[in-house]
Amino acid sequence: MFAGLEWYWWLAIVLVLMISIPFKIRFIRWWKKYRQEQKENSYGKWGDDK
């Protein structure tokens, strides 16, 4: 098959990707929210009030 791998290795790779992509999206959303909260909480600590 492709790149010398058997069909079941390709199936395993596809399954791992299908499982990991939703976790990656969830992590990215959490990270953006976390960074936004950190940015909001940092105002006023060192005289950078807006």
Side-chain angles (χ1 to χ4, degrees):
M1 285 212 45
F2 301 109
L5 296 176
E6 296 292 332
W7 66 270
Y8 49 85
W9 286 112
W10 285 110
L11 182 63
I13 291 169
V14 169
L15 287 174
V16 167
L17 288 175
M18 288 175 61
I19 292 170
S20 66
I21 288 173
F23 286 110
K24 181 178 178 181
I25 292 170
R26 186 176 297 160
F27 174 78
I28 290 171
R29 287 181 182 165
W30 173 83
W31 185 253
K32 286 180 182 179
K33 185 173 138 185
Y34 173 77
R35 295 297 292 165
Q36 185 66 30
E37 289 173 357
Q38 292 298 319
K39 185 185 272 188
E40 289 173 358
N41 291 337
S42 69
Y43 290 135
K45 289 186 178 179
W46 299 104
D48 58 351
D49 290 341
K50 286 195 172 182

